[in-house]
Amino acid sequence: MLGAFVLVAGAGVWVALPGEAADSLLSRGKSALASSIEAKTTTADRVIDGNPATRWASKEGVDPQWIRVDLGGESTVHRVKLTWEPGYAKEYRLEVSSDGTTFTTLKTFTNQDGGTDDITGLEAHGRYVRVVGTKRATEYGYSLFEFEVYGTSDAVGDTKKPSVPRGLSSSAVTATSAELSWTASTDKVGVFGYDILRDGVHIASTTTPSYTDAGLTSEKSYGYRIRARDLADNVSGESSALTVKTIAGGAGMFVLAAAGDIAQQCLESEPACIHPKTAKVVEFIKPDNVLTMGDSQYDDAHLSDYNSYYAKTWGKFKDITKPVPGNHDTYAEPAYNGYDTYFGPAIAKPDGKRYYSWEKGNWHFIALDSTDYMPDDSKPGAAPRNDQLSWLKADLAKNTKGCVAAYFHHPRWSSGDHGDNEDSEQFWRILTGAKVDLVLNGHDHHYERFNPMNGAGDPDPNGTVEILGGMGGAVPYDLSPGHPATAKLLSTYGVVKLTMTDNDFTSQLIGLNNTVEDSSPTYTCRPKR
């Protein structure tokens, strides 16, 4: 238990009485995440940069909204200071969490008047501190200049190394990946994470005692060791070595990288900018082709935006990209101009239209333009474009490949902010009726992998797998409870890695640190006749 604390006049900091640990500003320069942002100049990281002139702002007119600060490790929190812009919260609550998922309410505030809220006398413990605005003071959004958290890190004064990880083993090996696990280390305060070393080189870190190394070559041996790291950055010795040999690749094997909702109007120099990070994940995957499931560029997707942002990150893979457009590509005038001009006719319209098909190995791929087809996101009040439905039926009828995948922007099924989309019903019914093996979508900004489903969206082991991968860089949306067929639901960033052979496919979600956040079973392609 810490002793009494005193505010030093004119200094704006809290110090402990003699003999006690001093409180410090824990949030400065750490990381922040928000439920939404108003613009590229009002991202979440502005509240922890120490600059009183910069701010975070949420999207306008929507309750509730939240902003979260990650302190980097477990800490005791005594004070939170919020400096509001005129778009303040009339009502809000202050929360804390150890895992970033389950939050405990510390205090609830009503009838607030903005300005500066200096909340003292707290005795909270956790890694994440969150402000949840429940009632706006204005018609606009919520807006904070600074979000300051004061207290003591659990790692203060810790010099003891964690124990050496033991029991390193591999439970599953494929042609391109090795699944590793080990016995968790122990530490005086707490293990923060583990470093994975492949052939003596640090390749990734993880917070759990398991890791799947996904960027491998078939029929090759790799040597692994693990070391533990605690909250004070004390590092253990290395584990015993493990040698793993990948198996031979399946006939016709190739790898794809896929995501939608990618490039916000931000640059790599900005800490909260994500699309440069997901582009590095694509580099790690080393795909044969890249699929984009719409909204490759935000906000209105002008050609200038594509050239200023997307081109500098995901644009590195332009020559191997097979894109489809999203609703944001229609916001500029004329609609689709940025998309069409940036990608050029050979990529944007290989068959003269923005929907097309292509083939690789024993796979037939169908790229659909759901924005042009659907009336709500392209031409309000217009009827669905049945010409695309006719083309889709004809394309499926003449297919001779044993495996089929389709991708388009608007998902039929989703546990995200937009939810299930009935306007995609005809696409889904036609694709499932033709025994298409895989459907990829974006639009909602999260990751969701579904177990195989039938045309009604019910679980069916002989059905079609849907993967929603709208986590390429756009700000995450809130999630609802998963569907009965949902296998994995995550609010995170990353890239879907697809490993295809002549007869089957597997998928993995590769996170920003090149860690495997989700792995699917191996799905065998179904007979099409």
Side-chain angles (χ1 to χ4, degrees):
M1 183 73 177
L2 295 172
F5 287 77
V6 178
L7 179 64
V8 179
V13 296
W14 289 76
V15 298
L17 293 175
E20 303 292 343
D23 273 0
S24 60
L25 178 55
L26 302 172
S27 52
R28 181 66 52 79
K30 296 298 173 60
S31 63
L33 181 67
S35 54
S36 70
I37 60 171
E38 180 186 30
K40 65 178 182 178
T41 57
T42 57
T43 51
D45 60 300
R46 265 65 173 182
V47 300
I48 42 91
D49 62 2
N51 184 346
T54 61
R55 64 187 178 97
W56 161 70
S58 71
K59 60 183 178 182
E60 297 180 354
V62 179
D63 290 318
Q65 295 289 320
W66 55 262
I67 183 167
R68 185 190 81 184
V69 173
D70 179 358
L71 303 179
E74 293 288 313
S75 303
T76 299
V77 175
H78 295 116
R79 176 191 179 205
V80 173
K81 184 179 178 181
L82 306 173
T83 306
W84 295 96
E85 196 256 353
Y88 64 91
K90 191 74 173 178
E91 296 180 2
Y92 69 93
R93 62 181 183 268
L94 187 65
E95 302 177 335
V96 68
S97 170
S98 290
D99 59 9
T101 301
T102 303
F103 282 83
T104 300
T105 299
L106 300 178
K107 283 191 174 183
T108 300
F109 301 85
T110 60
N111 298 319
Q112 298 300 293
D113 57 3
T116 299
D117 292 344
D118 201 346
I119 307 159
T120 60
L122 300 173
E123 279 294 337
H125 190 266
R127 173 172 174 167
Y128 304 89
V129 181
R130 184 167 75 172
V131 173
V132 181
T134 54
K135 184 176 181 181
R136 288 165 289 114
T138 71
E139 62 182 312
Y140 303 107
Y142 296 93
S143 184
L144 273 173
F145 286 119
E146 289 292 301
F147 184 167
E148 298 171 285
V149 180
Y150 294 84
T152 56
S153 169
D154 288 3
V156 172
D158 179 18
T159 59
K160 186 177 180 180
K161 298 178 181 179
S163 64
V164 175
R166 300 185 183 279
L168 177 60
S169 63
S170 180
S171 56
V173 180
T174 71
T176 62
S177 66
E179 216 169 276
L180 309 174
S181 62
W182 55 91
T183 302
S185 297
T186 58
D187 184 67
K188 173 184 175 183
V189 175
V191 175
F192 178 71
Y194 300 91
D195 297 336
I196 292 83
L197 289 81
R198 183 210 302 150
D199 297 331
V201 178
H202 177 211
I203 59 166
S205 297
T206 178
T207 57
T208 60
S210 63
Y211 178 76
T212 300
D213 191 9
L216 307 181
T217 302
S218 62
E219 296 187 272
K220 183 177 179 180
S221 294
Y222 297 90
Y224 293 95
R225 292 179 184 268
I226 310 296
R227 62 193 181 205
R229 190 178 298 272
D230 68 12
L231 292 167
D233 210 29
N234 300 307
V235 181
S236 75
E238 296 178 1
S239 69
S240 299
L242 171 71
T243 299
V244 171
K245 184 175 182 179
T246 53
I247 64 175
M253 189 187 78
F254 59 93
V255 174
L256 304 176
D261 307 272
I262 297 169
Q264 294 282 152
Q265 294 177 334
C266 60
L267 300 172
E268 188 171 8
S269 58
E270 302 173 59
C273 193
I274 301 299
H275 64 95
K277 298 179 175 66
T278 54
K280 291 179 180 177
V281 177
V282 177
E283 291 179 355
F284 170 77
I285 293 173
K286 300 180 178 67
D288 293 277
N289 286 102
V290 173
L291 312 186
T292 62
M293 288 90 79
D295 285 358
S296 297
Q297 179 60 58
Y298 282 80
D299 286 327
D300 293 340
H302 298 285
L303 176 60
S304 59
D305 295 327
Y306 267 102
N307 288 329
S308 296
Y309 306 106
Y310 181 92
K312 295 179 179 178
T313 56
W314 283 64
K316 298 173 184 176
F317 320 109
K318 181 177 177 180
D319 290 345
I320 60 170
T321 296
K322 305 286 188 178
V324 293
N327 51 289
H328 279 263
D329 289 303
T330 68
Y331 294 170
E333 291 292 341
Y336 294 106
N337 180 64
Y339 175 87
D340 290 347
T341 308
Y342 173 73
F343 284 112
I347 296 175
K349 297 180 178 180
D351 296 330
K353 297 183 182 295
R354 296 181 195 92
Y355 51 90
Y356 57 95
S357 61
W358 56 283
E359 294 178 340
K360 196 175 190 72
N362 193 35
W363 280 84
H364 182 74
F365 293 91
I366 302 170
L368 296 172
D369 182 0
S370 59
T371 301
D372 184 59
Y373 167 73
M374 289 169 45
D376 64 331
D377 271 321
S378 57
K379 299 166 185 171
R385 293 286 301 277
N386 289 323
D387 56 333
Q388 192 169 171
L389 289 183
S390 298
W391 175 89
L392 174 59
K393 292 174 184 177
D395 184 82
L396 286 164
K398 67 183 181 183
N399 168 55
T400 60
K401 299 294 185 179
C403 302
V404 182
Y407 56 107
F408 49 96
H409 189 54
H410 300 81
R412 174 64 183 95
W413 311 105
S414 172
S415 302
D417 184 70
H418 293 295
D420 297 340
N421 197 318
E422 294 183 359
D423 287 327
S424 294
E425 173 76 8
Q426 287 299 316
F427 279 171
W428 179 257
R429 289 283 185 178
I430 292 171
L431 294 169
T432 54
K435 298 183 180 179
V436 166
D437 302 289
L438 172 66
V439 170
L440 299 164
N441 302 113
H443 198 43
D444 264 332
H445 301 176
H446 71 278
Y447 170 82
E448 189 166 9
R449 176 173 59 84
F450 291 84
N451 290 315
M453 293 180 285
N454 60 23
D458 298 323
D460 182 347
N462 295 313
T464 298
V465 174
E466 180 193 317
I467 299 176
L468 199 164
M471 64 296 142
V475 175
Y477 291 158
D478 291 338
L479 297 179
S480 300
H483 285 244
T486 298
K488 191 74 171 185
L489 178 63
L490 295 171
S491 178
T492 189
Y493 296 109
V495 178
V496 176
K497 177 187 177 183
L498 298 164
T499 303
M500 333 294 276
T501 76
D502 282 351
N503 303 304
D504 57 38
F505 73 95
T506 57
S507 71
Q508 295 174 319
L509 173 62
I510 311 299
L512 297 186
N513 293 320
N514 298 333
T515 56
V516 176
E517 306 294 336
D518 180 46
S519 294
S520 78
T522 297
Y523 293 107
T524 301
C525 299
R526 296 173 292 161
K528 300 298 183 284
R529 298 285 186 261

